[in-house]
Amino acid sequence: MPRMSVTGIPQDGGAPVRAGVPEHGRVPKYYAVRILLTELVDGLGEGEALPTEREMTERFGAARETVRQALRDLLLEGRLRRRGRGTVVAGPKLEQPLSLASYTEGVRRQGLDPGRTLVDLRSWPCPGPLAEELGLVEGEPIWHMERVLWADDERVGLESTYIAVERVPRLDVDFDPDSSFYAYLDERVGTAFADADERLETVLATPREALLIGTPPALPMLLIHRLSRDARGRPLERVRSLYRGDRFSFTTRLTGADGTSG
Protein backbone atom coordinates (compact mmCIF):
# COMPACT_ATOMS: atom_id res chain seq x y z
CA MET A 1 0.00 0.00 0.00
CA PRO A 2 1.38 3.49 -0.85
CA ARG A 3 2.81 5.30 2.14
CA MET A 4 1.13 8.55 3.15
CA SER A 5 3.27 11.59 3.85
CA VAL A 6 2.47 14.12 6.54
CA THR A 7 0.71 16.17 3.85
CA GLY A 8 -1.59 13.28 3.03
CA ILE A 9 -0.05 12.74 -0.41
CA PRO A 10 0.53 9.10 -1.35
CA GLN A 11 4.15 8.24 -2.07
CA ASP A 12 4.83 5.20 -4.20
CA GLY A 13 8.44 4.01 -4.18
CA GLY A 14 8.12 3.16 -7.88
CA ALA A 15 6.92 6.61 -8.89
CA PRO A 16 9.36 8.99 -10.60
CA VAL A 17 11.59 10.45 -7.87
CA ARG A 18 9.00 9.58 -5.22
CA ALA A 19 6.43 11.82 -6.95
CA GLY A 20 8.61 14.83 -6.20
CA VAL A 21 7.95 14.68 -2.45
CA PRO A 22 11.11 15.08 -0.33
CA GLU A 23 11.87 12.65 2.48
CA HIS A 24 10.84 15.12 5.18
CA GLY A 25 7.37 15.16 3.61
CA ARG A 26 7.01 18.95 3.46
CA VAL A 27 6.05 20.29 0.06
CA PRO A 28 4.76 23.66 -1.17
CA LYS A 29 0.99 23.90 -1.18
CA TYR A 30 0.84 24.34 -4.95
CA TYR A 31 2.79 21.09 -5.43
CA ALA A 32 0.42 19.19 -3.20
CA VAL A 33 -2.45 20.52 -5.32
CA ARG A 34 -0.51 19.65 -8.46
CA ILE A 35 -0.27 16.00 -7.43
CA LEU A 36 -4.01 15.87 -6.76
CA LEU A 37 -4.66 17.67 -10.03
CA THR A 38 -2.46 15.17 -11.89
CA GLU A 39 -4.54 12.31 -10.48
CA LEU A 40 -7.65 14.09 -11.73
CA VAL A 41 -6.14 14.56 -15.19
CA ASP A 42 -5.06 10.90 -15.35
CA GLY A 43 -8.69 9.90 -14.91
CA LEU A 44 -9.89 12.00 -17.83
CA GLY A 45 -9.56 11.45 -21.57
CA GLU A 46 -7.97 13.68 -24.17
CA GLY A 47 -10.01 16.82 -24.78
CA GLU A 48 -12.13 16.44 -21.63
CA ALA A 49 -12.64 19.64 -19.68
CA LEU A 50 -11.38 20.21 -16.15
CA PRO A 51 -13.68 21.59 -13.47
CA THR A 52 -13.69 25.35 -13.02
CA GLU A 53 -11.07 26.97 -10.82
CA ARG A 54 -13.76 27.67 -8.24
CA GLU A 55 -14.79 24.01 -8.19
CA MET A 56 -11.16 22.91 -7.81
CA THR A 57 -10.48 25.31 -4.94
CA GLU A 58 -13.38 23.71 -3.08
CA ARG A 59 -12.40 20.18 -4.08
CA PHE A 60 -8.74 20.55 -3.05
CA GLY A 61 -9.29 22.93 -0.15
CA ALA A 62 -6.79 25.40 -1.59
CA ALA A 63 -6.68 29.06 -2.52
CA ARG A 64 -7.45 29.98 -6.12
CA GLU A 65 -3.90 31.26 -6.78
CA THR A 66 -2.50 27.95 -5.49
CA VAL A 67 -4.72 26.08 -7.95
CA ARG A 68 -3.67 28.43 -10.75
CA GLN A 69 0.02 27.79 -10.08
CA ALA A 70 -0.55 24.04 -10.26
CA LEU A 71 -2.47 24.51 -13.50
CA ARG A 72 0.35 26.61 -14.98
CA ASP A 73 2.81 23.81 -14.23
CA LEU A 74 0.76 21.22 -16.08
CA LEU A 75 0.12 23.62 -18.96
CA LEU A 76 3.87 24.18 -19.37
CA GLU A 77 4.48 20.43 -19.29
CA GLY A 78 1.90 19.87 -22.00
CA ARG A 79 -0.51 17.83 -19.85
CA LEU A 80 -3.22 20.48 -20.27
CA ARG A 81 -4.32 22.91 -22.97
CA ARG A 82 -6.39 26.07 -22.99
CA ARG A 83 -9.61 25.92 -24.98
CA GLY A 84 -11.58 29.13 -25.01
CA ARG A 85 -11.97 30.18 -21.39
CA GLY A 86 -11.55 26.65 -20.06
CA THR A 87 -8.81 24.03 -19.68
CA VAL A 88 -8.83 20.56 -21.22
CA VAL A 89 -6.64 17.47 -21.10
CA ALA A 90 -3.96 17.51 -23.81
CA GLY A 91 -3.08 14.58 -26.03
CA PRO A 92 0.27 12.78 -25.97
CA LYS A 93 3.37 14.64 -27.08
CA LEU A 94 4.66 14.23 -30.62
CA GLU A 95 7.67 11.93 -30.72
CA GLN A 96 10.33 13.08 -33.15
CA PRO A 97 13.31 10.79 -33.77
CA LEU A 98 16.81 12.20 -33.53
CA SER A 99 17.78 10.94 -36.97
CA LEU A 100 18.12 12.04 -40.58
CA ALA A 101 14.41 11.39 -41.07
CA SER A 102 12.57 14.58 -41.96
CA TYR A 103 10.02 16.38 -39.83
CA THR A 104 7.39 15.35 -42.38
CA GLU A 105 8.11 11.65 -41.92
CA GLY A 106 8.15 11.91 -38.12
CA VAL A 107 4.75 13.62 -37.92
CA ARG A 108 3.11 11.33 -40.47
CA ARG A 109 4.18 8.25 -38.54
CA GLN A 110 1.93 9.45 -35.72
CA GLY A 111 -1.10 9.83 -37.95
CA LEU A 112 -0.96 13.62 -38.16
CA ASP A 113 -0.78 15.89 -41.17
CA PRO A 114 2.52 17.84 -41.31
CA GLY A 115 2.60 21.33 -42.76
CA ARG A 116 4.84 24.36 -43.06
CA THR A 117 4.14 28.03 -43.62
CA LEU A 118 6.89 30.09 -45.24
CA VAL A 119 7.97 33.11 -43.21
CA ASP A 120 11.02 34.17 -45.21
CA LEU A 121 13.15 32.94 -48.12
CA ARG A 122 15.98 35.10 -49.33
CA SER A 123 19.67 34.98 -50.19
CA TRP A 124 22.31 37.02 -48.40
CA PRO A 125 26.10 37.06 -47.96
CA CYS A 126 27.22 34.28 -45.63
CA PRO A 127 28.82 35.58 -42.41
CA GLY A 128 32.20 34.25 -41.32
CA PRO A 129 31.24 31.73 -38.58
CA LEU A 130 28.49 30.18 -40.71
CA ALA A 131 30.74 30.09 -43.77
CA GLU A 132 33.31 28.14 -41.77
CA GLU A 133 30.70 25.59 -40.72
CA LEU A 134 29.40 25.15 -44.28
CA GLY A 135 32.84 25.10 -45.91
CA LEU A 136 32.13 28.31 -47.83
CA VAL A 137 33.97 31.55 -48.45
CA GLU A 138 32.79 34.43 -46.29
CA GLY A 139 30.36 36.55 -48.27
CA GLU A 140 29.34 33.70 -50.59
CA PRO A 141 25.55 33.81 -51.15
CA ILE A 142 23.45 31.46 -49.04
CA TRP A 143 19.74 30.89 -48.74
CA HIS A 144 17.94 31.51 -45.48
CA MET A 145 14.57 29.77 -45.38
CA GLU A 146 12.37 30.19 -42.30
CA ARG A 147 9.15 28.19 -41.90
CA VAL A 148 6.54 27.67 -39.18
CA LEU A 149 5.97 23.96 -38.51
CA TRP A 150 2.45 22.56 -38.19
CA ALA A 151 0.95 19.26 -37.02
CA ASP A 152 -2.65 19.08 -38.22
CA ASP A 153 -4.01 22.55 -37.47
CA GLU A 154 -1.59 23.39 -34.65
CA ARG A 155 1.62 25.42 -34.86
CA VAL A 156 4.34 23.44 -33.12
CA GLY A 157 7.70 24.88 -34.15
CA LEU A 158 9.89 27.17 -36.22
CA GLU A 159 12.67 26.05 -38.56
CA SER A 160 15.50 28.02 -40.17
CA THR A 161 17.58 26.42 -42.92
CA TYR A 162 20.85 27.79 -44.30
CA ILE A 163 22.32 26.36 -47.52
CA ALA A 164 24.63 27.66 -50.24
CA VAL A 165 22.83 29.14 -53.24
CA GLU A 166 25.24 27.20 -55.44
CA ARG A 167 23.86 23.91 -54.10
CA VAL A 168 20.20 24.79 -54.78
CA PRO A 169 20.14 27.77 -57.19
CA ARG A 170 16.40 27.42 -57.98
CA LEU A 171 15.18 27.04 -54.41
CA ASP A 172 13.04 30.17 -54.66
CA VAL A 173 11.53 29.02 -57.97
CA ASP A 174 10.75 25.30 -57.92
CA PHE A 175 10.47 24.38 -54.23
CA ASP A 176 7.10 24.16 -52.49
CA PRO A 177 7.67 25.62 -48.98
CA ASP A 178 4.90 23.39 -47.57
CA SER A 179 6.76 20.22 -48.62
CA SER A 180 9.78 18.30 -47.34
CA PHE A 181 13.09 20.00 -48.10
CA TYR A 182 14.89 16.65 -47.82
CA ALA A 183 12.61 15.11 -50.43
CA TYR A 184 13.25 18.11 -52.70
CA LEU A 185 17.02 17.70 -52.40
CA ASP A 186 16.82 13.99 -53.09
CA GLU A 187 14.27 14.00 -55.91
CA ARG A 188 14.84 17.32 -57.68
CA VAL A 189 18.48 18.16 -56.94
CA GLY A 190 19.91 14.66 -56.66
CA THR A 191 21.61 15.32 -53.33
CA ALA A 192 21.21 12.90 -50.45
CA PHE A 193 22.07 13.32 -46.78
CA ALA A 194 24.74 11.00 -45.40
CA ASP A 195 25.19 12.09 -41.78
CA ALA A 196 24.75 15.01 -39.43
CA ASP A 197 25.80 16.43 -36.09
CA GLU A 198 23.03 17.58 -33.76
CA ARG A 199 22.94 19.47 -30.49
CA LEU A 200 19.80 19.72 -28.36
CA GLU A 201 19.17 22.33 -25.66
CA THR A 202 16.29 24.01 -23.87
CA VAL A 203 15.63 27.71 -24.45
CA LEU A 204 12.93 30.33 -24.19
CA ALA A 205 11.58 31.73 -27.44
CA THR A 206 12.21 35.35 -28.34
CA PRO A 207 9.10 37.57 -28.52
CA ARG A 208 9.18 37.27 -32.33
CA GLU A 209 9.49 33.47 -32.24
CA ALA A 210 6.71 33.14 -29.66
CA LEU A 211 4.45 35.28 -31.86
CA LEU A 212 5.17 33.15 -34.95
CA ILE A 213 4.59 29.87 -33.10
CA GLY A 214 1.63 31.24 -31.14
CA THR A 215 2.91 30.49 -27.63
CA PRO A 216 3.63 32.50 -24.47
CA PRO A 217 7.28 33.66 -24.26
CA ALA A 218 7.64 31.77 -20.94
CA LEU A 219 6.95 28.39 -22.56
CA PRO A 220 10.13 26.24 -22.62
CA MET A 221 11.33 25.31 -26.10
CA LEU A 222 13.52 22.50 -27.41
CA LEU A 223 16.17 23.84 -29.78
CA ILE A 224 18.04 21.57 -32.19
CA HIS A 225 21.12 22.70 -34.10
CA ARG A 226 21.94 20.44 -37.04
CA LEU A 227 24.88 20.45 -39.47
CA SER A 228 24.25 17.96 -42.28
CA ARG A 229 26.71 16.52 -44.79
CA ASP A 230 26.31 14.87 -48.17
CA ALA A 231 27.64 11.49 -49.33
CA ARG A 232 31.04 13.05 -50.11
CA GLY A 233 31.35 14.36 -46.56
CA ARG A 234 30.87 18.00 -47.55
CA PRO A 235 28.76 20.25 -45.30
CA LEU A 236 25.34 20.65 -46.88
CA GLU A 237 23.00 22.61 -44.63
CA ARG A 238 22.80 24.28 -41.24
CA VAL A 239 19.41 24.04 -39.53
CA ARG A 240 18.03 25.68 -36.41
CA SER A 241 14.78 24.00 -35.33
CA LEU A 242 12.72 25.31 -32.45
CA TYR A 243 10.02 22.99 -31.07
CA ARG A 244 7.36 23.55 -28.42
CA GLY A 245 8.47 21.85 -25.22
CA ASP A 246 4.87 21.10 -24.27
CA ARG A 247 4.17 19.27 -27.55
CA PHE A 248 7.38 17.44 -28.41
CA SER A 249 9.65 14.75 -27.09
CA PHE A 250 12.65 13.30 -28.89
CA THR A 251 13.70 9.69 -29.17
CA THR A 252 16.89 7.90 -30.16
CA ARG A 253 18.35 4.41 -29.95
CA LEU A 254 21.67 3.86 -28.23
CA THR A 255 23.94 0.89 -28.81
CA GLY A 256 27.04 -0.41 -27.07
CA ALA A 257 30.51 -0.51 -28.59
CA ASP A 258 29.87 -4.06 -29.81
CA GLY A 259 26.65 -3.00 -31.54
CA THR A 260 24.32 -4.36 -28.87
CA SER A 261 21.88 -2.17 -27.03
CA GLY A 262 21.71 -2.01 -23.26
Side-chain angles (χ1 to χ4, degrees), residues 1-5 9-14:
M1 178 179 296
R3 183 172 66 86
M4 301 296 292
S5 74
I9 301 171
Q11 297 187 66
D12 185 345

Side-chain angles (χ1 to χ4, degrees), residues 1 39 68 97 112 146 255:
M1 178 179 296
E39 293 176 352
R68 286 176 177 171
L112 301 177
E146 185 178 38
T255 59

Side-chain angles (χ1 to χ4, degrees), residues 85-133:
R85 300 184 63 181
T87 305
V88 301
V89 177
K93 290 188 178 183
L94 296 166
E95 291 187 3
Q96 187 76 352
L98 288 171
S99 68
L100 281 176
S102 71
Y103 169 80
T104 300
E105 296 169 356
V107 173
R108 281 180 177 161
R109 274 198 298 267
Q110 296 171 80
L112 301 177
D113 185 22
R116 294 175 175 88
T117 301
L118 183 66
V119 177
D120 186 40
L121 174 58
R122 70 180 71 184
S123 65
W124 47 283
C126 187
L130 184 56
E132 185 176 351
E133 282 191 308

Side-chain angles (χ1 to χ4, degrees), residues 179-259:
S179 65
S180 168
F181 182 54
Y182 289 7
Y184 167 78
L185 287 174
D186 184 33
E187 299 166 6
R188 299 291 297 272
V189 183
T191 299
F193 290 87
D195 60 68
D197 295 323
E198 286 191 335
R199 177 166 57 88
L200 174 64
E201 60 181 309
T202 57
V203 297
L204 294 179
T206 66
R208 175 181 177 273
E209 291 168 337
L211 183 63
L212 287 170
I213 302 173
T215 59
L219 180 71
M221 296 282 179
L222 298 169
L223 174 62
I224 290 185
H225 304 272
R226 171 183 283 191
L227 178 64
S228 305
R229 288 174 287 271
D230 62 19
R232 296 172 59 184
R234 298 182 303 168
L236 181 57
E237 61 156 4
R238 178 77 160 80
V239 181
R240 181 183 187 274
S241 301
L242 193 65
Y243 297 94
R244 288 177 51 168
D246 65 333
R247 295 296 292 124
F248 269 90
S249 64
F250 289 88
T251 62
T252 188
R253 176 172 180 166
L254 305 177
T255 59
D258 59 356

